[in-house]
Amino acid sequence: MSEKYTTEKEGQLDFYNQFLPRINPNLTIDEIIANNNDGVLNGNLIEFKLLVRDLNEVLFQCIKYLSALRVKGTPIPANIVIVDLNSTNAYLYEAEDYLDSIEKIYNGGASKNNTGFIGGEPKQKLYYSNQVEAEKLISILKENNFTKIHIDENCIVGWAMSFYKEKPTARKEDFLGDEKGKHKTIGEIRNPTVFKDYIFAYEGETNVKFNYLMDKLNDTILKKNLGAFYTHTLYAQKAVELVRKAIARVPAGNDYIILDRCAGTGNLESALSEEELSHCIVSTVEYYEYKVLQELIGSKVRHIIPPYEESNTFNAGLVNGADALSKEYVDNEVIKQYLDNPKCTVILFENPPYAETTSIEHQKTGKGKESSTWKQSFVVTEMKKEVRGTASNDLGNAFIWSAFKFYLRQSTDSYIVFSPVKYWKAQHLINKKFLDGYAFNRRHFHTNIDACIMCALWSNEDDDITEFDLKGFDIDEKTHLFTNMIPISVKRIYKKYSENFYDKRIFSSDLQDSILAGYDGRVAKEGVKCSLKPIFNENILGYMVIDGSNFDNPDLMSVLIRVGLYKGHGFYIREDNYIEKLPMFAASRYITYNREWTERARIMKSADGAERYFEDVKSGKLKEFLLKCLLFTCIEMQNHCRSFNGPDGRFYRNELCLDTTRGETVASKDLLKLEPNDTEEKILSLYESLVNHIKETKEYNSDFTYGIYQIFSEIDTSYVDEVTGKTVYNNLQVHSDLQAMKELCKEYYNAEIVPTLFEYEFLK
């Protein structure tokens, strides 16, 4: 192996191809490099360099890789092997010698800023062009030993997820259990069995060190059932400002309580003063959070429910008597004594758990029913007697509804609550007086989503307000400080697209023998359960579904395909009025092009301007706008209309595209009425160029008219280069045109479409 390599990738592949047959011929290179480093092979981290100029620098890079593995909950290889490809030298280090450095956290790329590190001498240096030393290297790479690490707050979430993956039926107590309290289950971190070769036993007597991570340490089903209700410290501080406004409303001579039925480990209460804490009644339904809550603020608050642990307190990871949705809790005598006292003012202060069991996340796990036990609770059962629609599918709504139903009695009582705005904006769950509020970024609540969470101060007084303003605050992840305040308005919505815009006409010429398709516009697979009776008519151009008011999972809630969708819930768009339906499709793409945290979960789809819209369509006032919506529809990737030969013997032509190779389409014909501006000229010119380029590809079918999505799906094909690991596009000019169109589409949409969508309240 004395070749000189020009790229590190080339040398890496050659090395593995030479040595893997001797080590484990069943392993693939993809498996070895799965952790974004040069490779973990058995108990060895391998790092390749064309030429090693500084061993200390490369060693530090390897330490950073091992640090990342530790955080992810991945076993740490015992050996570090640095390979100098062009000199065929391998340097062996033992990870255990650098454990202190491995257990630190590093930011930025592992290959950067590594100069200045001082490591020890390598344990061995092997010149593997020599057969004897090559055999020694093979023996090392066969070793399957690991370095034990210490569990701390930086890595415990990763190891918890690895544990639940290894033991799918395990519960939180199996991982986190300790000897404190009545329930003495010793968990994996304190007595490693699954990870006995990978971690040292954690010696902390309690779990207080993991206070702010307790919601992330729940097993998967418990996490879904309880939802997430962590509150960032900075947001807790802002919320306490609202609590103090509520306290200021307490009538002279009154006592007051601050009730938090879902306190977790008490991070929401962290900003309260000692005096304010002395008025608090707190509870949490998760056992290990309850134990931490007791330890952190148990001596400072007025009451914890239950007040102390008994032999029956632990119940399958939960706390008996602390389920805020149970009748037992609603009737709790400790709380009742204050509710029955007219000289006591009630303030609820909560970040309720957020879990919506109709969400895609629940359906993907296949655990929707198992993680929805709360839906059979007393509170939800009572709520369904008064609340119609999907509002009862949201766990947070159960807390909000029950706050006003069972706890707030007087006009000076208050509720400070964190939740997405839809409970007020779209679901009309409450009609109360808004006193003040903030908007926060959901990303900082232990999620990966940029979205708006409202923290509102409500008075227990009826009010029919239609809009209010919030003060918006994001958190800078580098400085851990608030960014500048942003004023944010919230407006209520009343009408749905499906009730006001869907075309529900039935034609005598409709034939009941067409076909159905999936979300990608392809014919639905055999065996798929279909909820729609397919219709064929020459006047049908496609099928549209614009589901729901919010923008959760926007690509599944926005459908435009050539034939009916197998799941239904939409309508057929027809040639005589299709163009007036397109603003719905345009509105459904808002979050795709406006991803700021202030928009998602605040801006929603509405039909509140329907009457005014139809008047202006009829008068011709919106002719140009509708043509712009048509042009946008023709270049937007979510338009999944395709041309194809159907299994029913019919040819389905895509009419909502600009490809006129086989003659004009319905869309191209209507767009002749548009007097294009400069941007529109660019779009039309680029589409023409794109069509010319697809004709040069082997994938092109001359019988079809092509829309953007079909070009992307069927012609913009690619593969991964084995040497470089990079994606290579088979039709580069087609790919380049699609990328350019994507940018033009976004620019055009926000400049030409969005303002009118807001004007006519398609977006609100």
Side-chain angles (χ1 to χ4, degrees), residues 93-152:
Y93 294 85
E94 293 180 359
E96 185 179 14
D97 295 339
Y98 303 96
L99 186 57
D100 285 347
S101 297
I102 291 169
E103 292 186 336
K104 293 178 180 176
I105 298 297
Y106 303 97
N107 297 313
S111 62
K112 298 178 180 178
N113 304 317
N114 292 328
T115 56
F117 180 77
I118 301 174
E121 292 290 319
K123 299 296 182 182
Q124 291 187 57
K125 175 183 176 183
L126 299 170
Y127 178 60
Y128 58 86
S129 284
N130 175 284
Q131 292 187 14
V132 174
E133 300 207 353
E135 288 294 338
K136 290 181 180 179
L137 180 57
I138 289 169
S139 295
I140 290 168
L141 295 178
K142 285 183 176 181
E143 292 178 3
N144 206 21
N145 300 319
F146 296 88
T147 299
K148 289 186 178 182
I149 57 90
H150 297 93
I151 292 290
D152 64 18

Side-chain angles (χ1 to χ4, degrees), residues 726-737:
K726 295 182 179 178
T727 300
V728 179
Y729 292 94
N730 293 314
N731 304 302
L732 184 58
Q733 192 60 62
V734 170
H735 179 73
S736 300
D737 286 349

Side-chain angles (χ1 to χ4, degrees), residues 300-524:
K300 300 176 182 179
V301 297
R302 185 172 294 188
H303 302 290
I304 284 186
I305 307 230
Y308 52 84
E309 185 178 357
E310 298 184 81
S311 58
N312 67 342
T313 296
F314 179 89
N315 178 20
L318 303 180
V319 178
N320 270 326
D323 179 2
L325 303 184
S326 68
K327 191 172 192 306
E328 177 188 12
Y329 193 98
V330 171
D331 293 336
N332 183 281
E333 292 181 356
V334 173
I335 301 174
K336 275 280 190 182
Q337 64 181 315
Y338 298 102
L339 303 184
D340 294 339
N341 180 2
K343 296 295 289 182
C344 180
T345 299
V346 176
I347 300 169
L348 269 74
F349 180 35
E350 297 177 331
N351 181 3
Y354 179 79
E356 189 174 24
T357 53
T358 54
S359 70
I360 297 304
E361 289 76 12
H362 275 76
Q363 305 313 314
K364 281 180 179 177
T365 63
K367 302 287 187 179
K369 185 176 181 180
E370 190 175 349
S371 55
S372 307
T373 55
W374 57 269
K375 295 183 79 173
Q376 283 74 53
S377 68
F378 168 76
V379 164
V380 174
T381 302
E382 292 299 303
M383 179 169 71
K384 286 181 176 179
K385 296 176 182 177
E386 299 183 10
V387 178
R388 294 183 178 181
T390 59
S392 62
N393 289 328
D394 190 328
L395 177 54
N397 284 353
F399 277 81
I400 295 168
W401 177 84
S402 61
F404 290 97
K405 178 70 175 180
F406 298 119
Y407 298 96
L408 303 176
R409 319 96 68 226
Q410 301 171 348
S411 62
T412 51
D413 289 349
S414 306
Y415 191 21
I416 299 94
V417 58
F418 290 76
S419 190
V421 303
K422 66 180 178 181
Y423 73 90
W424 176 84
K425 181 182 177 85
Q427 296 170 334
H428 301 190
L429 187 67
I430 64 170
N431 293 289
K432 296 295 179 178
K433 187 175 183 180
F434 174 83
L435 298 180
D436 201 355
Y438 294 104
F440 300 137
N441 187 348
R442 183 176 168 184
R443 178 174 292 277
H444 306 297
F445 290 76
H446 283 173
T447 72
N448 297 316
I449 299 172
D450 285 303
C452 178
I453 292 288
M454 175 170 68
C455 179
L457 167 57
W458 298 103
S459 172
N460 188 38
E461 301 171 86
D462 292 340
D463 198 345
D464 289 324
I465 52 171
T466 59
E467 64 179 284
F468 52 75
D469 294 323
L470 302 172
K471 298 179 280 290
F473 288 95
D474 198 1
I475 297 173
D476 188 303
E477 294 189 357
K478 292 182 179 179
T479 65
H480 302 289
L481 298 173
F482 283 129
T483 57
N484 291 334
M485 191 275 285
I486 308 169
I488 292 175
S489 66
V490 180
K491 298 180 180 180
R492 208 163 213 189
I493 61 174
Y494 297 90
K495 297 178 182 177
K496 299 177 180 178
Y497 284 175
S498 58
E499 296 170 353
N500 294 271
F501 290 129
Y502 277 23
D503 188 347
K504 300 174 183 177
R505 295 177 298 169
I506 297 173
F507 286 66
S508 59
S509 54
D510 288 346
L511 302 176
Q512 304 277 332
D513 69 342
S514 185
I515 58 176
L516 298 173
Y519 287 90
D520 63 355
R522 297 183 189 273
V523 176

Side-chain angles (χ1 to χ4, degrees), residues 468-603:
F468 52 75
D469 294 323
L470 302 172
K471 298 179 280 290
F473 288 95
D474 198 1
I475 297 173
D476 188 303
E477 294 189 357
K478 292 182 179 179
T479 65
H480 302 289
L481 298 173
F482 283 129
T483 57
N484 291 334
M485 191 275 285
I486 308 169
I488 292 175
S489 66
V490 180
K491 298 180 180 180
R492 208 163 213 189
I493 61 174
Y494 297 90
K495 297 178 182 177
K496 299 177 180 178
Y497 284 175
S498 58
E499 296 170 353
N500 294 271
F501 290 129
Y502 277 23
D503 188 347
K504 300 174 183 177
R505 295 177 298 169
I506 297 173
F507 286 66
S508 59
S509 54
D510 288 346
L511 302 176
Q512 304 277 332
D513 69 342
S514 185
I515 58 176
L516 298 173
Y519 287 90
D520 63 355
R522 297 183 189 273
V523 176
K525 296 177 181 178
E526 286 188 25
V528 171
K529 184 178 179 181
C530 298
S531 305
L532 179 72
K533 290 184 178 179
I535 291 173
F536 178 82
N537 196 315
E538 293 290 348
N539 67 17
I540 290 176
L541 303 181
Y543 190 84
M544 183 185 292
V545 183
I546 309 297
D547 219 353
S549 299
N550 60 39
F551 284 96
D552 294 343
N553 305 297
D555 289 350
L556 290 179
M557 301 300 161
S558 169
V559 181
L560 179 56
I561 55 178
R562 179 61 183 84
V563 295
L565 180 70
Y566 75 96
K567 293 183 74 171
H569 299 295
F571 66 99
Y572 285 98
I573 53 174
R574 305 191 187 245
E575 190 170 353
D576 64 337
N577 70 349
Y578 82 99
I579 200 165
E580 72 179 41
K581 308 301 179 185
L582 296 182
M584 277 190 289
F585 176 75
S588 75
R589 310 312 300 146
Y590 180 72
I591 288 299
T592 304
Y593 301 110
N594 297 274
R595 295 183 176 274
E596 297 84 0
W597 72 270
T598 57
E599 307 306 285
R600 187 185 289 270
R602 178 182 73 97
I603 300 301

Side-chain angles (χ1 to χ4, degrees), residues 244 271-279 299-301:
R244 288 172 182 154
L272 292 172
S273 69
E274 294 282 335
E275 164 62 20
E276 290 158 349
L277 280 172
S278 72
H279 291 267
S299 64
K300 300 176 182 179
V301 297

Side-chain angles (χ1 to χ4, degrees), residues 15 50 193 250 257 263 293 322 341 363 428 549 572 760:
F15 181 93
L50 282 176
T193 53
V250 175
I257 59 165
L293 186 66
N341 180 2
Q363 305 313 314
H428 301 190
S549 299
Y572 285 98
Y760 285 89

Side-chain angles (χ1 to χ4, degrees), residues 168-393:
T169 60
R171 304 302 297 261
K172 188 174 183 177
E173 62 183 294
D174 300 317
F175 180 72
L176 210 58
D178 57 37
E179 291 184 315
K180 291 283 186 179
K182 297 289 185 180
H183 183 76
K184 295 179 172 62
T185 295
I186 307 303
E188 177 73 14
I189 63 170
R190 291 177 168 84
N191 181 26
T193 53
V194 177
F195 298 145
K196 60 183 172 56
D197 296 326
Y198 309 142
I199 67 173
F200 292 110
Y202 179 69
E203 296 179 354
E205 291 187 9
T206 70
N207 295 311
V208 169
K209 187 172 185 178
F210 313 124
N211 172 25
Y212 291 106
L213 300 168
M214 293 299 281
D215 62 314
K216 300 180 79 172
L217 296 173
N218 289 325
D219 58 85
T220 304
I221 294 303
L222 192 61
K223 191 178 295 182
K224 292 295 185 186
N225 199 24
L226 295 180
F229 46 99
Y230 163 80
T231 315
H232 193 286
T233 302
L234 288 179
Y235 287 156
Q237 291 170 1
K238 279 292 177 190
V240 165
E241 294 178 13
L242 301 180
V243 173
R244 288 172 182 154
K245 288 189 176 183
I247 293 172
R249 302 177 65 231
V250 175
N254 268 26
D255 184 18
Y256 70 90
I257 59 165
I258 301 173
L259 174 61
D260 185 350
R261 298 168 291 166
C262 45
T265 58
N267 52 317
L268 187 57
E269 283 72 29
S270 61
L272 292 172
S273 69
E274 294 282 335
E275 164 62 20
E276 290 158 349
L277 280 172
S278 72
H279 291 267
C280 285
I281 303 175
V282 296
S283 62
T284 187
V285 74
E286 201 281 314
Y287 177 75
Y288 289 97
E289 290 178 355
Y290 170 70
K291 291 174 72 175
V292 172
L293 186 66
Q294 285 270 26
E295 189 169 344
L296 288 177
I297 62 174
S299 64
K300 300 176 182 179
V301 297
R302 185 172 294 188
H303 302 290
I304 284 186
I305 307 230
Y308 52 84
E309 185 178 357
E310 298 184 81
S311 58
N312 67 342
T313 296
F314 179 89
N315 178 20
L318 303 180
V319 178
N320 270 326
D323 179 2
L325 303 184
S326 68
K327 191 172 192 306
E328 177 188 12
Y329 193 98
V330 171
D331 293 336
N332 183 281
E333 292 181 356
V334 173
I335 301 174
K336 275 280 190 182
Q337 64 181 315
Y338 298 102
L339 303 184
D340 294 339
N341 180 2
K343 296 295 289 182
C344 180
T345 299
V346 176
I347 300 169
L348 269 74
F349 180 35
E350 297 177 331
N351 181 3
Y354 179 79
E356 189 174 24
T357 53
T358 54
S359 70
I360 297 304
E361 289 76 12
H362 275 76
Q363 305 313 314
K364 281 180 179 177
T365 63
K367 302 287 187 179
K369 185 176 181 180
E370 190 175 349
S371 55
S372 307
T373 55
W374 57 269
K375 295 183 79 173
Q376 283 74 53
S377 68
F378 168 76
V379 164
V380 174
T381 302
E382 292 299 303
M383 179 169 71
K384 286 181 176 179
K385 296 176 182 177
E386 299 183 10
V387 178
R388 294 183 178 181
T390 59
S392 62
N393 289 328

